[in-house]
Amino acid sequence: MSAVRFRAKHARHPHDDAPDTAAHFERITSLPDGPEKEELRQEVVRAWMPMADRLAQRFRNRGENLEDLQQVAALGLVKAVARYDPARGCAFESFAVPTIVGEIKRHFRDYMWDLHVPRRVQELRNRVRASSRELGVTLDDRSPTVAQIAEHSGLSQEDVVIGMEALESYSALSLDAELSKNEDGYSLLDTLGATEPGFDRVTYREAVKPQLRNLPERERYILYLRFFCDMTQSSIAEQLGISQMHVSRLISRTCERLHREVEAEVAARAHEPSAERTPMTV
């Protein structure tokens, strides 16, 4: 197969990097599916890659790496080559450019928003932003009102409000962002609450209460002295007239027993039918 030829610039073609692949597409349509057809498609893709790279560069400096955009554009080019039908009469570039640009825009829509919003809301955002920019040229640097944007864009005022709210959804505000211009360094992170460990302690305490009531009196008393009176094992042993090693074994054995019983109760509750479950008192 002969190499792909590039069209001369004097042919007044809108794309200087547009190769002449008409014969290749005619050949592709006549071939059955198989290695030869796939190889010919790959040759056409390689020939049109400069145009795909150029389209990707239009979207640089928008928060995405240029190499990633070029990969997305290449994917769009592959799809365009696979779907193009020369029998419809349009030039390949007229079909490929919207396909590649659409693939890049879908990439931004699906992967570049910090906060996911529906496609309709994204489209409202784009229309509101475009109208705001156009109106800003004629309003002497004054921000257009909701009513003015609605009239210019043909949207309802409710949709304009939704689009304006979505303008803040493309990129999230950093937790380290300062909330005031003062030098105190007060940031959004300072306004967030912290986890309250006392809530977990209440849950654990209520979960173990039934098992504590069922313990033998001596074991329950030892746990009381150790964990509620904060006595050392040696002091407990001296008070009860037993060895410190015996106290240590009793505490370890009792705690392990309580742990097993609580875990077993949790597992049993998890397998109960939802209608029969009773909430745990907290």
Side-chain angles (χ1 to χ4, degrees), residues 64 69 72 102-112:
E64 180 64 300
L69 291 177
V72 175
E103 195 70 27
I104 296 174
K105 288 183 176 180
R106 275 191 295 273
H107 174 77
F108 276 97
R109 185 188 70 220
D110 296 338
Y111 299 104
M112 296 301 295

Side-chain angles (χ1 to χ4, degrees), residues 100-165:
I100 295 171
V101 172
E103 195 70 27
I104 296 174
K105 288 183 176 180
R106 275 191 295 273
H107 174 77
F108 276 97
R109 185 188 70 220
D110 296 338
Y111 299 104
M112 296 301 295
W113 286 64
D114 287 346
L115 180 65
H116 177 72
V117 297
R119 181 175 180 178
R120 175 180 175 274
V121 177
Q122 295 182 27
E123 293 173 348
L124 291 176
R125 168 191 178 272
N126 293 337
R127 293 178 63 179
V128 167
R129 182 179 61 177
S131 295
S132 298
R133 289 178 176 176
E134 294 170 2
L135 290 171
V137 177
T138 60
L139 293 177
D140 298 328
D141 295 330
R142 289 184 292 108
S143 299
T145 65
V146 172
Q148 288 172 326
I149 296 175
E151 181 180 359
H152 183 272
S153 63
L155 298 171
S156 66
Q157 294 192 26
E158 291 78 9
D159 284 343
V160 170
V161 172
I162 293 174
M164 294 176 70
E165 292 176 347

Side-chain angles (χ1 to χ4, degrees), residues 196-215 220 223-224 227-229 258-259 261-262 265-266 280-282:
E196 174 52 63
F199 293 155
D200 288 337
R201 284 198 295 269
V202 170
T203 302
Y204 300 150
R205 186 174 299 172
E206 292 298 323
V208 80
K209 271 185 179 180
Q211 282 71 29
L212 285 173
R213 296 190 187 99
N214 296 330
L215 287 176
R220 187 167 63 248
L223 293 183
Y224 171 76
F227 295 108
F228 290 86
C229 299
L258 292 173
H259 180 78
E261 291 177 351
V262 171
E265 181 181 353
V266 171
M280 179 180 291
T281 303
V282 177

Side-chain angles (χ1 to χ4, degrees), residues 46-266:
R46 287 192 294 269
W48 284 94
M49 277 301 298
M51 186 191 73
D53 291 340
R54 174 168 54 79
L55 293 174
Q57 290 176 10
R58 294 182 182 177
F59 296 86
R60 64 183 183 276
N61 300 327
R62 298 191 185 185
E64 180 64 300
N65 185 280
L66 178 59
E67 292 183 357
D68 292 337
L69 291 177
Q70 289 173 334
Q71 291 183 3
V72 175
L75 175 61
L77 175 59
V78 171
K79 292 181 177 180
V81 171
R83 298 170 183 172
Y84 176 63
D85 183 4
R88 296 187 176 183
C90 68
F92 173 69
E93 53 269 25
S94 300
F95 176 79
V97 171
T99 303
I100 295 171
V101 172
E103 195 70 27
I104 296 174
K105 288 183 176 180
R106 275 191 295 273
H107 174 77
F108 276 97
R109 185 188 70 220
D110 296 338
Y111 299 104
M112 296 301 295
W113 286 64
D114 287 346
L115 180 65
H116 177 72
V117 297
R119 181 175 180 178
R120 175 180 175 274
V121 177
Q122 295 182 27
E123 293 173 348
L124 291 176
R125 168 191 178 272
N126 293 337
R127 293 178 63 179
V128 167
R129 182 179 61 177
S131 295
S132 298
R133 289 178 176 176
E134 294 170 2
L135 290 171
V137 177
T138 60
L139 293 177
D140 298 328
D141 295 330
R142 289 184 292 108
S143 299
T145 65
V146 172
Q148 288 172 326
I149 296 175
E151 181 180 359
H152 183 272
S153 63
L155 298 171
S156 66
Q157 294 192 26
E158 291 78 9
D159 284 343
V160 170
V161 172
I162 293 174
M164 294 176 70
E165 292 176 347
L167 288 171
E168 307 299 328
S169 301
Y170 189 79
S171 58
L173 183 66
S174 171
L175 291 177
D176 295 325
E178 294 187 3
L179 297 182
S180 64
K181 296 182 179 179
N182 300 328
E183 297 182 357
D184 55 6
Y186 191 69
S187 68
L188 181 61
L189 183 62
D190 297 321
T191 68
L192 302 181
T195 302
E196 174 52 63
F199 293 155
D200 288 337
R201 284 198 295 269
V202 170
T203 302
Y204 300 150
R205 186 174 299 172
E206 292 298 323
V208 80
K209 271 185 179 180
Q211 282 71 29
L212 285 173
R213 296 190 187 99
N214 296 330
L215 287 176
E217 183 177 354
R218 187 176 70 160
E219 294 180 13
R220 187 167 63 248
Y221 183 56
I222 290 175
L223 293 183
Y224 171 76
L225 295 177
R226 179 69 184 92
F227 295 108
F228 290 86
C229 299
D230 200 25
M231 292 179 61
T232 65
Q233 293 182 8
S234 299
S235 299
I236 297 173
E238 183 178 353
Q239 179 170 330
L240 297 181
I242 57 179
S243 68
Q244 185 268 335
M245 184 63 68
H246 192 189
V247 172
S248 177
R249 285 197 299 266
L250 285 173
I251 292 175
S252 298
R253 183 178 64 191
T254 304
C255 289
E256 290 176 1
R257 173 185 170 185
L258 292 173
H259 180 78
R260 288 195 305 269
E261 291 177 351
V262 171
E263 289 293 324
E265 181 181 353
V266 171

